[in-house]
Each structure stands twice: as structure tokens, then as C-alpha cells.
Amino acid sequence: MDVFVQQVINGLVLGSMYALVALGYTMVYGIISLINFAHGEVLMVGAMVAWTVATTIPPGTMPGWLLMIVAMLLAMVVCAALNFTIEKIAYRPLRNAPRLAPLITAMGMSLLLQTLAMIIWKPNPKPFPQLLPPEIYFLWEDGPVITLTQVVILVVTMVSLAGLLWLVNRTKLGRAMRATAENPRVAGLMGVRPDHVISATFIIGAALAAIAGVMWAANYGTVQHSMGFLPGLKAFTAAVFGGIGNLTGAMVGGVLLGLIEAIGAGYLGELTGGVFGSHYVEIFAFIVLILVLTLRPSGLMGERVADRA
Amino acid sequence: MTSKKNSFIVFLIAAVALLALPLIAAQFGQGWVRIMALALLYVLLALGLNIVVGYAGLLDLGYVAFYAVGAYMYALLASPHLAENFESIKAAFPNGLHLPIWVVIPLAATIAALAGVLLGAPTLKLRGDYLAIVTLGFGEIIRVFMNNLEHPVNITNGPRGISQIDPMTLAGVSFGKPLEVLGFSVPSVALYYYLFLVLVVGSVVVCHRLETSRIGRAWMAIREDEIAAKAMGLNTRNLKLLAFGMGATFGGVSGSMFASFQGFISPESFTLMESVMIVAMVVLGGIGHIPGVILGALLLAALPEVLRYVAGDVQNLTGGRIDAAILRQLLIALAMIAVMLLRPRGLWPSPEHGKAAVAVK
């Protein structure tokens, strides 16, 4: 029982980070039908920027939590600017090109960002400083634990998600985004400027990915140039799982995927008598992806036809 | 069009040049021959992927999985690994399994083809981006298995990989040591070069015949408009599976070649990066166009080696931050972006069917 509850907690934390990244995928895919392979790298850049901030500001100049906020804000700004630029130079010129072309530039972009990060920050993994107090809370005596960092992650995620939902459902920009996702040309006729909306989408997605990146770094305690790719892929899986183009779906998909992975990691070895270790958890996301796409291609909450290709 | 006589002369010159190339390159060191042999291996891989992506329009990002399956099949059957780890095999073959290549290569090709069909089956309904991401996932699944199948039974030896793989033996001639012909000594790498060259020429012929065959036309019809193709009575399911299987066979054969050439394999060689590289070769060169694909493969395979000469200076200039490997990745990434922006249909696109190069719609 303790193990189960512990893994549920870990899964919720992991899943909430997937959810934040998945939103960026699902918004971009919903509007311009592009798998932005470089989105995972945006998470990595966010973590790297935060690491730079946290290690260059001498300790003691400000309390840890304030440093965390400063690092996160700066990471969000840098990532937003980065994603805005990427869209402008690599994706926008190809909006009417054959479908394969933007996909290849996206993969190229992912590789480029990883390589640049390797040049700027060196390839070795770096420890991420402990900014928040390393407190641990027991749910009950000798029971499952939750760290303060994990609590913060859950709270920050919920606030970000609520903010995004408010933005998309209640603001003018949100309405323009929904209209563009529905039909960019008609939206254009109604006075929406699709190019601006797409840029805004990339900026918002990047800011969410940056938040996820900083929290990822804080939770696992290391940063590296290659840290973004796998979470990126899994977040895309989460987006498909929930139904691509659907914001609530991406959140639910992310959390479910996190839970599946965490619970799997906790029980896989035991269930299979040690034949399959927890290493195999890495493939859970892909198995989920294949199952979802074959059984229910529109995802859990999607109404769009997946046959859009 | 050149006349028949002219094209024969061109063919003859090309043939002599290709045959003489390793002998000339050997003057500058065996390393160059090795690079050329590896480049040919990439051509083989790119031609195989071109069947899947270029002809049938199925974007496969997990192609390296079949390469890996072929390589591991060869490695397991032509090295002492299995005998060292399984008592029953040791009892039957005290010196280790060293099956002849006429058994190993067809077996590797068949298993890879089966893997291709196995991957294809659940993804038949998917197209474009979704297919790309699922195949990518499939490649990762295979890699995770390669990395972990050493426990509880040691099949792949995990991240340490399998070594002591037998060199190719053809008609009693071992490719592992130099061959004496009429007083000349042809080194081992050159032998592999010739072997790969034969395979590439054979593959080009096969691919060309496929392209103009009924099956090839059917694939292209599916690529252009699957629903229309189905309405015209094509069995799209079988045709797609066939494309996956055929492409995977190429991958499997290339993989077994790679294993025998290197004598050692590990999961390191079969990463996602490698898959992306092969896709980049096909797409940068000119998707669905054999000369374009060959050009793309040669360019991207040769690029890193040329860089070695530049890398030293760059490394000094940047205080050691950029070495050859990083520079290579950087340039591949930039090439992928720049070529797509400037020539979305590739460097040497297929001239015949303008619209056909639009792979997924």
C-alpha cells in the first residue's frame, strides 16, 4: 500500500510536468498540424537557463525561493523568444510546403538546439542547486513521502494550467486561437491575424515548457543537453493520448502517462519475477501510443479525426 | 538523352572508377577505404528506406531497428557469444556457433522483414506524422530491449555489446585478412568495399525495377492518394506491409554487413540519431529518386570525414568546445534545416512526377 501511494505521488508529479509540455505540442499541432520535435529541447533550454542563473548569482544574495522564481521567469522569457524565432525562421516559410519538409526542419531544429546546448553548456551532466529547502513530509508515520519541491511542482502546474485555460477560454487572444485552430482562413476573414496567433501559441507553449524544464531540473537535480528529448516524445504521446488539439485532453493524458510510468516502475520487476526490470518503463509511453493510435485514434477526449495525416 | 553507345561508355568509365577507387584511396591510408565502405553501407540503408518513405510514402523513423535486428542476428549466429552463455548450445557446438553466411544472412533478412511486417501491421491506419512518431517509438523499444536483454538470460550482452564476430567468408575466402590475387594483395577493407559495392549495384537494379513495376506504381498511387488507390481495387494493406517488409529486408542485410565489417556491435550504433540520419539522407537527396538518395547518403556519410580536417582549427579557435563530433552534428542539423527551406523537395529531386515528391499529404 505504501509503495502504491508513493508511486502515485511520484506519478502525479511526473505527469504534471508531462502535461505542461504536452500542452505546447497539442496547441501547435491543433493550429498548424506540425509535430514540433524541438519542443522537448525548449524544456532543456529552460532548465539550462535556470541552471545558469542559479549558479551565477552568488549564494546568499537572495533567498532560494526568490532565486527559483527569478530563474524560472528568465527561463520563460528566453524560451519564449527562442520558440518565437524558431517558428519564424524554420516553420513559417514552409507552411505551404510538402508535409514532410516542416517535419524534417523540426527534427533538424531539435538536433541543432541539442548541439548548441552542448557547445554553450558543455556535454557533461551538471548538478542543479537545491534552491527550495530540502524538506520531506511523511503522509503518515513511516509511510510514503513527498518533498517540498514536489509540492511546489504540483501547485505551480495547477496554477499554470488554470491560467492557460483562462487565457484560452476567456480572453480575446484565446478566442482567436480557437478560431484559428478551427479554420485559419475563415478566422483571417473575421479579422484574426493567423500569423500573430501562431506566434502567440509558440510563445505560450514555450513558457509552459520552460516552467516544466526548471521544475524537472529541480526535481531530478541534474541538467544536461540531452535531457529534453525523451520527455518531449513522451509529452507528445500524452497529447495524442488525451486527443490532440484538446487542452484538457493533454493535461489528462500527461497525468495518466506519468501515473502509468511511475506505477509500472514500482511493480514491473515484482510482477514479472525480475525478468523485466524498471528499465523497461522507458517503452511504456510508446506502447501506450501504439495502443491508443490503433484502438482509439482520436484519443481519450479528442473529437477530431485522427486520419488527418 | 544520350545514345545507347554513349551511356555504355559512361557506364564503363564509372565501373572502372568505382573499382579503382579503393586502390587509389589506399595510397592515402586504409582509413579512407574504410570510410568509403561505410558510405556504401549508408547508401544501402538509404535505398532501403527509400522504398518505404519514397515510394510508399510511409514516414518511418524507426528504420534503424531493422538495421539492428540484422546486425544482432549476424552477431549472435557468427560469434562465440551464444555458446558462452547457453550450456545447451555449448554442448552442441563446443567452438561456438559459426554458421555459414548462406544461412546467417538470409535468416537476418527474414527476421528483419518479419519485424518490418510486425511494425507495419498495427500502424496500417496511420499516416504522416502519427506514423512517424509510432515508428520512432518502435525503434526506441528495440533499443531498450537491446540494452536490457542480458538479464535473466544473456542474449544481447546489454550495453557492452557483442564482440569477436566472424568476418564474412565467401567461397572459402575470408574477408578478415588480405587476399592475394596475382601477386597483388587486396586488403580486408577493400574486400568489404567491393562486397558492399556489389550489393549497392544490385540494390539499385532492384529498386529501379521495383519503381517501374506494378508494385512500385501501386505504392506511388497509395502515396498520392490512398483512398483513390483503394477505390481502384488496390489491396493497400498488403502493399503497405510489403513496403515495410522490403525496406526492412534491406535494413537487415545492411545490418549483418555492418556486424561482420566491424566485428563488434553494441546498442550505441543503433540510436535514434542514426534513424534521423538515414531519413535525412533520403529527404535531403531527393525523396523517391534513386540518384538523389545515393547523393544524399554519400554527402551525409562523407561530410563528417571531411570535417576532420577542419575540426582541429575550429577546436583551437573555440577553446576545445567544438570537436569533430559536435561540428558534424551541427552541420547535419543546419543542412537539414537549410536544405528544407531552400529546396523542400531535396537536392536532386525526381524530375518525372512533380507532385509525386510530396510524400505525405
Side-chain angles (χ1 to χ4, degrees):
Chain A
M1 186 60 196
D2 282 5
V3 177
F4 183 76
V5 176
Q6 182 68 64
Q7 289 310 97
V8 167
I9 293 171
N10 295 345
L12 284 176
V13 172
L14 181 64
S16 61
M17 291 188 285
Y18 285 155
L20 283 177
V21 187
L23 284 168
Y25 273 110
T26 217
M27 286 193 294
V28 166
Y29 200 92
I31 292 187
I32 57 172
S33 305
L34 166 77
I35 300 180
N36 183 9
F37 270 106
H39 197 62
E41 269 59 52
V42 174
L43 173 147
M44 175 271 293
V45 171
M48 287 298 194
V49 171
W51 175 82
T52 312
V53 173
T55 49
T56 41
I57 292 182
T61 41
M62 57 175 87
W65 58 268
L66 187 61
L67 188 54
M68 184 82 176
I69 293 176
V70 171
M72 194 177 277
L73 287 178
L74 213 67
M76 285 165 76
V77 171
V78 171
C79 288
L82 177 72
N83 221 19
F84 172 78
T85 319
I86 292 175
E87 194 270 332
K88 203 142 200 173
I89 55 175
Y91 304 151
R92 186 168 299 180
L94 289 171
R95 209 161 289 156
N96 297 315
R99 280 290 296 277
L100 204 49
L103 197 66
I104 298 287
T105 54
M107 286 195 285
M109 218 16 118
S110 157
L111 191 59
L112 181 67
L113 290 180
Q114 273 193 44
T115 316
L116 289 179
M118 205 153 45
I119 294 169
I120 297 171
W121 286 289
K122 303 273 177 70
N124 54 314
K126 287 165 277 289
F128 193 81
Q130 179 81 41
L131 297 178
L132 302 169
E135 302 212 17
I136 292 175
Y137 309 107
F138 284 87
L139 289 196
W140 55 82
E141 209 171 322
D142 294 329
V145 294
I146 186 163
T147 65
L148 180 63
T149 312
Q150 288 180 317
V151 175
V152 171
I153 290 174
L154 290 173
V155 172
V156 170
T157 311
M158 275 185 250
V159 171
S160 317
L161 297 185
L164 182 75
L165 284 181
W166 170 79
L167 184 97
V168 171
N169 290 323
R170 293 290 143 114
T171 63
K172 215 175 155 190
L173 175 64
R175 198 183 305 157
M177 283 169 70
R178 282 179 286 143
T180 313
E182 205 63 49
N183 187 333
R185 271 176 57 203
V186 176
L189 294 175
M190 298 295 142
V192 173
R193 299 178 68 177
D195 276 351
H196 289 197
V197 173
I198 292 167
S199 289
T201 308
F202 273 85
I203 289 172
I204 297 167
L208 293 176
I211 296 176
V214 179
M215 294 192 309
W216 190 282
N219 193 36
Y220 292 105
T222 55
V223 290
Q224 201 185 2
H225 65 96
S226 58
M227 67 184 276
F229 195 77
L230 214 49
L233 277 184
K234 289 179 181 170
F236 179 77
T237 302
V240 174
F241 193 11
I244 201 127
N246 183 319
L247 296 186
T248 332
M251 300 174 195
V252 173
V255 172
L256 278 182
L257 187 64
L259 284 174
I260 291 174
E261 285 199 348
I263 293 171
Y267 288 97
L268 194 59
E270 216 173 296
L271 280 179
T272 56
V275 176
F276 292 108
S278 56
H279 296 304
Y280 287 93
V281 164
E282 292 298 313
I283 65 179
F284 275 24
F286 302 116
I287 293 173
V288 167
L289 185 67
I290 294 173
L291 286 179
V292 170
L293 285 178
T294 40
L295 299 178
R296 191 176 158 80
S298 53
L300 292 178
M301 304 191 144
E303 58 262 54
R304 284 160 184 271
V305 195
D307 201 61
R308 49 194 300 154
Chain B
M1 280 313 275
T2 45
S3 71
K4 215 164 188 178
K5 197 176 161 200
N6 270 344
S7 62
F8 182 69
I9 293 172
V10 170
F11 171 79
L12 217 60
I13 294 173
V16 170
L18 281 174
L19 287 176
L21 207 54
L23 302 178
I24 299 165
Q27 307 301 314
F28 303 97
Q30 290 300 335
W32 285 103
V33 188
R34 210 186 137 67
I35 291 161
M36 285 172 3
L38 272 176
L40 285 177
L41 211 52
Y42 275 114
V43 172
L44 208 57
L45 276 171
L47 284 171
L49 183 63
N50 185 45
I51 295 178
V52 189
V53 185
Y55 296 163
L58 303 162
L59 182 52
D60 183 356
L61 286 183
Y63 190 64
V64 84
F66 311 122
Y67 190 42
V69 167
Y72 268 90
M73 276 311 288
Y74 189 96
L76 288 177
L77 296 178
S79 80
H81 178 77
L82 279 184
E84 278 168 8
N85 288 286
F86 292 93
E87 285 301 322
S88 56
I89 293 177
K90 179 141 190 121
F93 302 90
N95 301 322
L97 276 177
H98 294 282
L99 300 183
I101 57 162
W102 299 116
V103 179
V104 177
I105 294 176
L107 206 60
T110 317
I111 303 272
L114 278 179
V117 173
L118 216 64
L119 159 72
T123 61
L124 283 173
K125 273 196 251 161
L126 311 172
R127 269 182 282 162
D129 307 340
Y130 276 9
L131 180 65
I133 202 102
V134 167
T135 49
L136 192 159
F138 185 75
E140 282 294 292
I141 291 175
I142 295 263
R143 203 178 55 79
V144 168
F145 272 100
M146 288 188 302
N147 238 329
N148 294 299
L149 271 185
E150 54 171 336
H151 170 85
V153 264
N154 186 348
I155 298 174
T156 63
N157 210 20
R160 279 162 295 152
I162 299 175
S163 54
Q164 299 175 48
I165 302 170
D166 295 344
M168 200 69 69
T169 312
L170 205 61
V173 178
S174 168
F175 281 48
K177 45 185 185 286
L179 174 69
E180 305 286 335
V181 192
L182 308 169
F184 276 110
S185 165
V186 185
S188 159
V189 258
L191 289 176
Y192 273 106
Y193 171 89
Y194 289 124
L195 175 67
F196 296 165
L197 187 65
V198 170
L199 282 171
V200 165
V201 171
S203 307
V204 169
V205 173
V206 170
C207 285
H208 181 72
R209 299 297 290 263
L210 267 179
E211 199 178 332
T212 49
S213 71
R214 288 174 66 94
I215 294 174
R217 302 236 172 258
W219 279 336
M220 287 176 218
I222 292 175
R223 177 185 68 190
E224 293 307 309
D225 190 336
E226 190 175 338
I227 295 165
K230 207 168 187 169
M232 299 316 282
L234 291 176
N235 186 336
T236 53
R237 187 195 59 188
N238 288 359
L239 281 163
K240 280 178 167 186
L241 286 181
L242 186 66
F244 271 120
M246 279 253 187
T249 312
F250 272 75
V253 173
S254 317
S256 48
M257 294 296 143
F258 176 73
S260 77
F261 183 49
Q262 299 279 26
F264 166 75
I265 55 164
S266 74
E268 289 261 298
S269 309
F270 309 104
T271 56
L272 182 71
M273 174 67 202
E274 208 69 10
S275 260
V276 170
M277 267 279 277
I278 304 166
V279 173
M281 286 170 181
V282 173
V283 177
L284 294 192
I287 189 158
H289 189 220
I290 296 172
V293 169
I294 295 176
L295 173 76
L298 290 179
L299 270 183
L300 281 191
L303 190 68
E305 307 313 325
V306 180
L307 289 178
R308 252 181 226 176
Y309 287 95
V310 205
D313 301 334
V314 179
Q315 200 162 2
N316 295 336
L317 275 177
T318 55
R321 273 170 183 253
I322 304 183
D323 62 12
I326 293 184
L327 192 62
R328 168 185 185 220
Q329 264 195 40
L330 190 65
L331 285 187
I332 289 172
L334 286 174
M336 283 167 81
I337 298 168
V339 173
M340 281 302 107
L341 288 175
L342 303 173
R343 295 182 71 97
R345 291 181 49 225
L347 290 171
W348 193 352
S350 145
E352 187 193 353
H353 12 59
K355 200 176 140 239
V358 184
V360 275
K361 178 80 196 159

